[in-house]
Amino acid sequence: MNTLKNILPLLILLFLQACTFTKPDANTASETDICAATSNNCTFVVFSESSDKLLIINEARARQAFTPASTFKIANSLIALETSTITDAKQILAIDYELYPIEDWWQSSWSSERHDLRSAFQNSVLPIYRGIASQIGAPRMSEYLARFNYGNQDITSGIDYFWVNGSLKISALEQIRFLQNIYHNEYSLQEESLQTLKEIMLADDTGAYKLYAKTGAALIDEGTVIAWYVGFIENQDGVHYFAFNLQAPPSPETALARTQLPLNYLTQAGII
């Protein structure tokens, strides 16, 4: 299974050739649907496994690598569980305020609430995850990113910050492949680690479907953020993996769009 690293370019090519491509119906797209705009500031990808159907909006951007921002917490959590840096979803995690003193831009919940792994993941508590990455250490982090073939695998900008507008980059299509390989345990990980990951990723359970997801956002220059929403859905038709990213000015509207747009697309596709 680890031979995937050596043949990944071929696998991606075969994967894209074998899948059925569809494009969103122009009649169902909203006039405010910025993903359909020609500016190429947004991409959405969803792969429905049982039907082998791959939908891509803005394919060129789907292949372009960006900072993963907080979507890297999926990989970071999994590596922490695999290395026993963290034992389970209920482990209480503390911020090291000597290393990471409170800053004005922090979300109030980061320092005012008590966090276990699930709440740290759901609230995207960056200082906790910076500490987790430091505990994992550069050698083990590099080993697992190579094993996962995660993006460009570059952590040289700093062990506790490389995923936030740092050296690590990943594309939407690579996010899809990573999520699918996790789901099918192509990396030969411990089953307990995978179940804990699903536990902390669970964002919605309606009875008709389960949504497992992670948001991410990072300021890439003074007036622009890259915003992500990635994950997978389980429903009666099987598993559907999705990845969305958006480049836009930082604003409450951008924060809303990073989840609302992909959910709209998933609704249009009949997945949720």
Side-chain angles (χ1 to χ4, degrees), residues 144-163:
Y144 274 94
L145 292 191
R147 184 172 172 181
F148 297 163
N149 202 22
Y150 189 97
N152 65 358
Q153 305 169 38
D154 187 348
I155 67 169
T156 56
S157 60
I159 184 57
D160 67 347
Y161 215 70
F162 59 83
W163 64 92

Side-chain angles (χ1 to χ4, degrees), residues 224-263:
T224 309
V225 295
I226 180 78
W228 284 96
Y229 197 45
V230 307
F232 57 92
I233 297 109
E234 295 174 334
N235 66 13
Q236 63 180 2
D237 297 321
V239 188
H240 314 264
Y241 309 91
F242 70 91
F244 168 90
N245 69 55
L246 165 68
Q247 199 165 318
S251 68
E253 291 77 18
T254 298
L256 179 62
R258 72 173 171 179
T259 54
Q260 194 57 56
L261 277 173
L263 292 176

Side-chain angles (χ1 to χ4, degrees), residues 70-243:
S70 285
T71 67
F72 183 70
K73 288 182 173 67
I74 298 172
N76 203 356
S77 299
L78 194 53
I79 296 167
L81 291 163
E82 281 291 296
T83 57
S84 298
T85 304
I86 295 175
T87 56
D88 56 46
K90 303 303 181 186
Q91 181 175 334
I92 299 301
L93 305 172
I95 297 172
D96 186 334
Y97 289 104
E98 289 189 6
L99 288 177
Y100 309 115
I102 296 174
E103 300 190 45
D104 292 340
W105 54 268
W106 280 21
Q107 297 178 32
S108 60
S109 63
W110 289 4
S111 57
S112 64
E113 297 178 10
R114 184 180 173 96
H115 293 287
D116 57 17
L117 180 60
R118 175 170 168 79
S119 66
F121 183 92
Q122 294 288 332
N123 289 280
S124 253
V125 186
L126 177 61
I128 285 179
Y129 272 90
R130 293 184 73 182
I132 290 171
S134 294
Q135 290 177 61
I136 291 168
R140 290 192 297 181
M141 187 69 78
S142 292
E143 175 190 340
Y144 274 94
L145 292 191
R147 184 172 172 181
F148 297 163
N149 202 22
Y150 189 97
N152 65 358
Q153 305 169 38
D154 187 348
I155 67 169
T156 56
S157 60
I159 184 57
D160 67 347
Y161 215 70
F162 59 83
W163 64 92
V164 185
N165 198 26
S167 52
L168 186 66
K169 311 291 182 186
I170 192 169
S171 71
L173 282 169
E174 287 171 328
Q175 293 263 29
I176 295 285
R177 175 59 67 181
F178 173 60
L179 290 166
Q180 187 180 22
N181 284 343
I182 287 175
Y183 193 88
H184 293 289
N185 199 11
E186 295 290 347
Y187 306 122
S188 300
L189 305 174
Q190 300 173 72
E191 189 60 33
E192 294 84 354
S193 299
L194 298 175
Q195 290 305 313
T196 299
L197 182 67
K198 288 186 71 175
E199 181 181 346
I200 66 175
M201 284 184 68
L202 184 63
D204 196 10
D205 183 356
T206 68
Y209 66 84
K210 290 183 179 180
L211 168 66
Y212 301 87
K214 185 71 191 79
T215 57
L219 191 68
I220 56 177
D221 60 45
E222 189 171 339
T224 309
V225 295
I226 180 78
W228 284 96
Y229 197 45
V230 307
F232 57 92
I233 297 109
E234 295 174 334
N235 66 13
Q236 63 180 2
D237 297 321
V239 188
H240 314 264
Y241 309 91
F242 70 91

